[in-house]
Amino acid sequence: MCFRESDGKFLWQQTNEKLADSNKDWPETGVCSAPLVEGGRVYYVTNRCELACLDTQGKSIWKLDMIKELGVSPHNKAASSPASYGGLVFVGTSNGRDVDNKRVPAPKAPALIAVDQKTGKLAWQVNDPGDRDSGWAMVLARGGHYRRRGASGDGRGRWLGARL
């Protein structure tokens, strides 16, 4: 949903159909992504595991389907909020374990991606799975470095990073 900042008036909303597989898109759960609004564009991860780019009027500019195009298998839901740096949008893919938490259905799929903000084309990807609880919860980009917080076996999480 988009509201005017000055008075809170409702402007528009974007909706997304549920995936047929409820193990990848939990029932009664919608979008779990906080949007990134930058340069007249809105970036967010849909419940369908797509990185979407809209203009600030709600018109679709591009969409990257991480399931179809990258082979991602989200664990229960897609839950990552985009960050940006240097013309790229960074997002955790939510690639994770199966419904029984026994195996990773897509072990070669990326855990973190960077996408060109203008075109939606994949710039690079990282396959550093951690323990694949449900993908990466947070991505930060600052000063040419990225850091991401992912789950660890003790539930506290851990920070991983590299130079861009």
Side-chain angles (χ1 to χ4, degrees):
M1 299 178 111
C2 181
F3 299 91
R4 187 168 40 220
E5 184 177 16
S6 63
D7 61 6
K9 179 183 177 192
F10 173 78
L11 299 174
W12 55 269
Q13 74 179 21
Q14 180 72 23
T15 60
N16 303 283
E17 295 292 321
K18 299 292 283 178
L19 289 171
D21 184 347
S22 63
N23 293 317
K24 294 180 180 181
D25 187 7
W26 273 3
E28 300 180 23
T29 301
V31 172
C32 297
S33 172
L36 167 67
V37 181
E38 185 173 274
R41 292 187 173 190
V42 178
Y43 305 89
Y44 76 103
V45 176
T46 73
N47 57 293
R48 300 178 61 82
C49 201
E50 302 160 322
L51 175 57
C53 175
L54 312 172
D55 67 18
T56 54
Q57 305 303 311
K59 180 181 173 191
S60 180
I61 297 172
W62 55 257
K63 193 177 284 185
L64 174 65
D65 186 326
M66 294 184 280
I67 294 172
K68 289 180 182 173
E69 296 180 46
L70 303 176
V72 168
S73 180
H75 176 77
N76 301 330
K77 62 187 173 291
S80 180
S81 297
S84 70
Y85 178 79
L88 298 174
V89 176
F90 300 85
V91 68
T93 65
S94 297
N95 190 51
R97 297 179 185 169
D98 65 7
V99 67
D100 297 320
N101 287 319
K102 293 184 178 175
R103 67 181 191 86
V104 176
K108 295 184 187 241
L112 176 73
I113 61 172
V115 174
D116 184 284
Q117 281 183 294
K118 292 178 183 175
T119 65
K121 300 295 180 200
L122 185 68
W124 57 260
Q125 63 186 31
V126 174
N127 182 359
D128 181 5
D131 67 0
R132 298 279 187 180
D133 272 352
S134 63
W136 297 100
M138 184 182 301
V139 176
L140 302 172
R142 180 176 161 213
H145 292 80
Y146 77 84
R147 291 182 59 131
R148 55 206 162 112
R149 183 173 177 87
S152 63
D154 60 12
R156 291 191 313 236
R158 61 192 173 118
W159 286 100
L160 301 172
R163 181 146 179 79
L164 295 174

